[in-house]
Amino acid sequence: MTQETIRIVCPHCGSKINAKRKLLGEIRPCPKCKEPLHILLPENVEALPSMPLDEPDNPERPHLPGNKQGVLSGRPLERLNRHSRYVICNRSMMVACWSNDGHGWRWKTNVGLVSANRYKDQLPSHGEFVLTEVNLRENGPELQLTGVRCLQIASHWGLNYLADGDDAICTRITGFCGLNREQKFAVRKTLLEFYMPELLEKAPKIADFLSNDDYRVSEIVQETP
């Protein structure tokens, strides 16, 4: 791709197309599916290497092209655990959360938490995001906090899957990762505000993990009686 061309993606079929920069703002038919294509400069996206017209990486989602970042074939998270809680952070704050309460994934806005499905047009298509799984176990009438593990979400078209149901995000997990200090603070704050302040107090190993500076550890297990 030269300085005279830009890479765009057809929202109808997901094909990746090199378009002449002088066509910016115009509407032309997609050479693949023939649907009208508004030629716009992508926002906050680095230029991609030139490549031939091809199919989306994920044929089940033709309107959302996958990225070339490898998604694990044997995923560490096949579906959400209905006894767990989940928190998604960007590099510094919580952006989405999930619990098995019938509300699905909720997205954080300046007016509070809203349904990711209703907010799907505003979900970012690119960025660095981490999914933190907070594991729970039933102990009679009480719940115990038993572990935390951190998973990397694909940086392209990852969060768009939040609008496709509870478990769809699992298909965009690329592997294990750690949390930086700001992310740990965000996860801890979310747990204290929305879920389980008393459970965190009874899980000192996890509480320590969410308050220290170690960004290399991706999983902590709390010993329980």
Side-chain angles (χ1 to χ4, degrees):
M1 182 161 46
T2 67
Q3 292 183 349
E4 289 75 33
T5 62
I6 58 173
R7 172 61 56 80
I8 60 175
V9 177
C10 176
H12 306 288
C13 68
S15 296
K16 306 173 186 69
I17 303 163
N18 287 339
K20 293 182 179 181
R21 187 176 291 271
K22 66 181 182 180
L23 297 178
L24 280 173
E26 296 187 16
I27 298 177
R28 296 292 181 92
C30 171
K32 188 77 172 183
C33 68
K34 309 305 179 183
E35 291 291 331
L37 176 61
H38 197 178
I39 301 175
L40 299 173
L41 187 65
E43 296 180 357
N44 302 321
V45 181
E46 296 181 358
L48 299 174
S50 180
M51 59 191 303
L53 188 68
D54 57 8
E55 294 294 332
D57 294 338
N58 187 346
E60 295 180 357
R61 295 295 304 274
H63 63 293
L64 285 182
N67 62 22
K68 294 300 179 182
Q69 179 180 359
V71 176
L72 300 181
S73 56
R75 296 189 297 271
L77 186 63
E78 295 289 343
R79 67 190 301 268
L80 302 185
N81 186 324
R82 269 48 188 175
H83 294 295
S84 298
R85 305 291 185 270
Y86 294 87
V87 180
I88 294 179
C89 295
N90 59 18
R91 293 184 62 85
S92 61
M93 60 183 292
M94 183 272 281
V95 297
C97 59
W98 182 94
S99 60
N100 191 23
D101 57 5
H103 293 294
W105 281 101
R106 293 185 292 170
W107 183 257
K108 185 178 181 181
T109 70
N110 56 6
V111 295
L113 294 172
V114 300
S115 168
N117 182 54
R118 295 182 179 180
Y119 196 73
K120 58 185 177 181
D121 292 339
Q122 302 299 320
L123 296 175
S125 58
H126 301 79
E128 296 183 25
F129 299 98
V130 176
L131 172 66
T132 300
E133 180 182 47
V134 181
N135 297 314
L136 302 173
R137 185 181 73 178
E138 292 183 355
N139 184 16
E142 298 182 348
L143 288 175
Q144 290 181 325
L145 185 55
T146 61
V148 170
R149 62 174 178 166
C150 311
L151 304 163
Q152 190 74 48
I153 299 174
S155 57
H156 289 63
W157 309 105
L159 294 194
N160 299 86
Y161 283 63
L162 295 179
D164 287 353
D166 295 347
D167 300 320
I169 189 66
C170 300
T171 66
R172 304 309 293 161
I173 300 299
T174 62
F176 295 96
C177 65
L179 297 176
N180 64 32
R181 184 177 180 85
E182 290 76 16
Q183 290 168 333
K184 288 184 175 184
F185 177 80
V187 171
R188 183 185 179 95
K189 182 180 179 182
T190 301
L191 297 180
L192 291 175
E193 288 184 356
F194 297 108
Y195 299 125
M196 54 199 81
E198 68 285 353
L199 298 187
L200 195 58
E201 293 175 1
K202 296 178 182 179
K205 192 173 182 180
I206 295 174
D208 176 70
F209 167 73
L210 293 176
S211 60
N212 64 41
D213 294 328
D214 190 349
Y215 61 88
R216 298 164 297 180
V217 177
S218 61
E219 185 171 15
I220 289 291
V221 177
Q222 177 70 51
E223 295 80 5
T224 57

